Amino acid sequence: MPGPRTRFAPSPTGFLHIGGARTALFNWAWARRHGGTLVLRIEDTDRERSSAESEARLIEALEWLGIDWDDGPHRQSERRGRHDAVIDELLAKDRAYRCTCTREELEERRQAAVAKGGHWVYDGRCAGAAHGAGAGPHTVRLRVAGEGRLAWDDLVFGESGKEARDVGDAIIRRSDGNPLYHLAVVVDDLDMGVDTVIRGADHHPNTPLQLAIYAALDAAPPRFAHVPLIVNEAGKKLSKRRDAVAVEHFREAGYLAEALCNWLVRLGWSHGDQEIFSRREIRELFDLASVGRGAARADVAKLQWINQHYLKTLPADALLPGLLPRLETRVGHPVEATPALRAGLELMRERSRTLEEMADRARFLATDVIAYDEKAAAKHLKPEALAPLSTLHDRLAALADWSEAALEAAFEATRADHDGLGMGKLAQPVRVAMTGEAVSPGIFETLAVLGRERTLERLADALHHLRHSA
């Protein structure tokens, strides 16, 4: 038996939202685990807000995340003729009808029903009118049975549904002639053979109407799985005005695709107590039965922890494509992955939560122009540092062995020459001289990575700075 056919159907009206990215990831994982197919469909029928640029950004974000698809991308706008044909077929079979009720008339009747304590659904005024194509401005409504229940067994939420009378004869074509989304999405899923619809819980209330459309088309509906919404750390619905919600934001902030996928798959899904999942494990372990119903909290601190795990464990070649452009931005010139930079990267793994932090800390390895942080220089490059730094410079220049052990011995000898100078009194001025900052990896490791020539040049620059300042 062929595996399931799932689909991801974003609207190209902006960036890829992390909620959409998680939906894509869940569909991808489900299809991959069961040997199925993932269809990519661009739902671009909102012509005013949709753009080719947004579509390109969506696809780029999916590719960066490593979410590949097997069929598509299809574009809903290119299927308008098919949607119109289905509506015409429903009209011909009297499973839909034209409605000439104006928006103002509908609103007046709705308010009257609500004033009496009732729940408003369309009252069927045009259901028997048999309006023809020449009826003037009109919508097209689906005939929905007045009895029975439009129900389904949701793969996440379980038994779900709504009484048909509470759905009413819903519009499937607007007065401007455009098919309604619910009609288009049902037709597209049928034509593309989609048999498992995995989407956000915000679509759960739409499903009864879509089931009615499937019934009107004499078609079996797919299985539905509505995954929980994502909320922010305060438990509120994510807002693009208040929260970081774009995949692009996290990429620019220095998060790795592996980490973001790991974080996203855990928003609403679990596998025991496991927190770290490779893409292979996501493919092999993801199960809709383990998706929860409650809202998933987007804990950015957890993302930072996951990202640091991948910064520590991924090979350098996996980090450099994201790190080098950041370094080039900071130093203003091309940066090569030299042996010294690669060695320095190993020093930064334990101390960085994002590629942005790693680039900040590794900047001193990518440039020979060291700008001193004002506070660090004022605190550590003081006149009293001149003599010990001068002694250390000469002693390091004479070293035959540029190893961490030899460097440590040179520091200890310099401290002894200056009446047992505290290690911090020597190491901190050297640290500022090497990096421009008061924080760096271990000082002996730092000098070993920088090498003899660069270390001596920077010490000489610091001595010049001290003499000039004095």
Side-chain angles (χ1 to χ4, degrees):
M1 293 291 291
R5 283 181 67 87
T6 69
R7 50 84 163 169
F8 177 54
S11 297
T13 56
F15 52 77
L16 178 59
H17 191 287
I18 58 171
R22 187 196 59 173
T23 297
L25 183 62
F26 280 12
N27 276 280
W28 174 84
W30 183 256
R32 294 292 173 264
R33 179 178 181 184
H34 297 285
T37 301
L38 174 60
V39 178
L40 177 61
R41 185 172 71 234
I42 307 298
E43 298 194 335
D44 58 348
T45 51
D46 186 343
R47 303 310 299 165
E48 292 184 0
R49 298 176 60 219
S50 298
S51 70
E53 179 185 1
S54 291
E55 179 181 327
R57 288 168 64 184
L58 285 171
I59 289 175
E60 182 183 8
L62 290 172
E63 290 175 340
W64 177 71
L65 287 169
I67 298 174
D68 59 336
W69 53 93
D70 310 290
D71 188 359
H74 302 279
R75 293 173 185 83
Q76 199 170 64
S77 61
E78 297 171 357
R79 296 177 46 78
R80 170 67 184 273
R82 171 63 175 150
H83 304 148
D84 286 338
V86 169
I87 294 173
D88 291 341
E89 179 184 346
L90 291 173
L91 285 168
K93 292 180 178 180
D94 198 32
R95 296 179 182 182
Y97 59 89
R98 296 177 179 86
C99 172
T100 59
C101 297
T102 67
R103 184 175 298 178
E104 293 75 18
E105 291 170 344
L106 292 171
E107 179 60 21
E108 182 179 343
R109 280 142 54 191
R110 186 193 69 80
Q111 291 184 7
V114 171
K116 295 178 181 179
H119 169 68
W120 165 257
V121 294
Y122 182 66
D123 52 17
R125 182 166 297 187
C126 290
H131 293 304
H138 65 274
T139 59
V140 173
R141 291 183 179 273
L142 183 74
R143 292 189 188 276
V144 179
E147 298 180 355
R149 184 170 175 81
L150 297 166
W152 76 100
D153 186 9
D154 197 275
L155 296 177
V156 174
F157 282 85
E159 290 298 323
S160 304
K162 195 173 186 179
E163 297 301 320
R165 63 176 177 272
D166 293 330
V167 174
D169 292 352
I171 293 173
I172 56 173
R173 178 188 279 162
R174 298 186 181 89
S175 58
D176 63 4
N178 286 313
L180 203 71
Y181 163 81
H182 300 296
L183 182 285
V185 76
V186 166
V187 173
D188 291 347
D189 283 344
L190 279 174
D191 288 354
M192 295 175 189
V194 173
D195 57 28
T196 309
V197 173
I198 304 170
R199 58 189 181 184
D202 52 329
H203 288 284
H204 191 274
N206 302 332
T207 309
L209 170 57
Q210 293 175 9
L211 289 174
I213 297 173
Y214 279 104
L217 296 174
D218 296 320
R223 297 177 297 173
F224 290 98
H226 291 91
V227 299
L229 297 181
I230 301 175
V231 297
N232 65 17
E233 294 175 59
K236 296 181 179 180
K237 183 178 179 181
L238 289 177
S239 166
K240 63 182 180 182
R241 296 178 181 176
R242 181 185 59 236
D243 305 302
V245 296
V247 169
E248 291 172 331
H249 164 85
F250 291 98
R251 183 179 184 180
E252 292 170 1
Y255 292 97
L256 300 166
E258 293 84 351
L260 194 59
C261 280
N262 192 152
W263 183 62
L264 287 172
V265 81
R266 286 285 288 110
L267 295 181
W269 174 76
S270 62
H271 182 75
D273 295 328
Q274 187 171 341
E275 292 288 353
I276 300 298
F277 294 88
S278 66
R279 284 198 181 92
R280 178 185 59 79
E281 289 175 313
I282 292 173
R283 291 196 305 267
E284 293 176 354
L285 299 175
F286 180 78
D287 184 3
L288 286 170
S290 298
V291 174
R293 300 179 184 181
R297 196 177 299 267
D299 183 352
V300 176
K302 174 64 72 67
L303 173 59
Q304 291 177 342
W305 176 80
I306 294 172
N307 201 63
Q308 189 167 37
H309 165 81
Y310 285 99
L311 287 175
K312 291 177 182 179
T313 58
L314 285 176
D317 286 340
L319 304 182
L320 287 170
L323 181 64
L324 292 181
R326 289 175 162 82
L327 285 172
E328 290 174 356
T329 297
R330 284 161 171 78
V331 302
H333 59 73
V335 176
E336 295 183 3
T338 61
L341 181 60
R342 287 176 173 272
L345 188 152
E346 298 304 316
L347 302 182
M348 309 300 167
R349 289 180 182 273
E350 297 289 335
R351 298 168 172 84
S352 305
R353 296 173 299 175
T354 66
L355 286 173
E356 284 288 293
E357 289 186 358
M358 183 175 281
D360 285 337
R361 292 184 166 95
R363 182 186 182 281
F364 75 95
L365 293 167
T367 182
D368 289 322
V369 180
I370 301 300
Y372 301 141
D373 175 78
E374 289 186 9
K375 291 183 178 179
K379 183 175 182 180
H380 300 294
L381 293 183
K382 296 179 178 180
E384 53 265 34
L386 179 59
L389 284 186
S390 180
T391 302
L392 180 66
H393 176 277
D394 294 343
R395 182 166 275 118
L396 293 179
L399 280 184
D401 174 25
W402 197 265
S403 65
E404 290 182 29
L407 291 167
E408 183 175 4
F411 270 69
E412 291 302 322
T414 300
R415 291 175 59 203
D417 286 347
H418 292 271
D419 301 323
L421 181 69
M423 185 61 180
K425 296 291 185 180
L426 180 59
Q428 283 302 92
V430 174
R431 182 170 279 114
V432 175
M434 298 301 110
T435 70
E437 307 284 341
V439 178
S440 79
I443 194 61
F444 310 127
E445 297 170 307
T446 299
L447 299 190
V449 166
L450 275 173
R452 179 192 304 273
E453 182 178 350
R454 297 172 87 186
T455 295
L456 294 176
E457 285 178 354
R458 295 183 188 190
L459 277 176
D461 288 341
L463 290 169
H464 176 77
H465 169 83
L466 284 166
R467 293 185 181 111
H468 178 74
S469 299

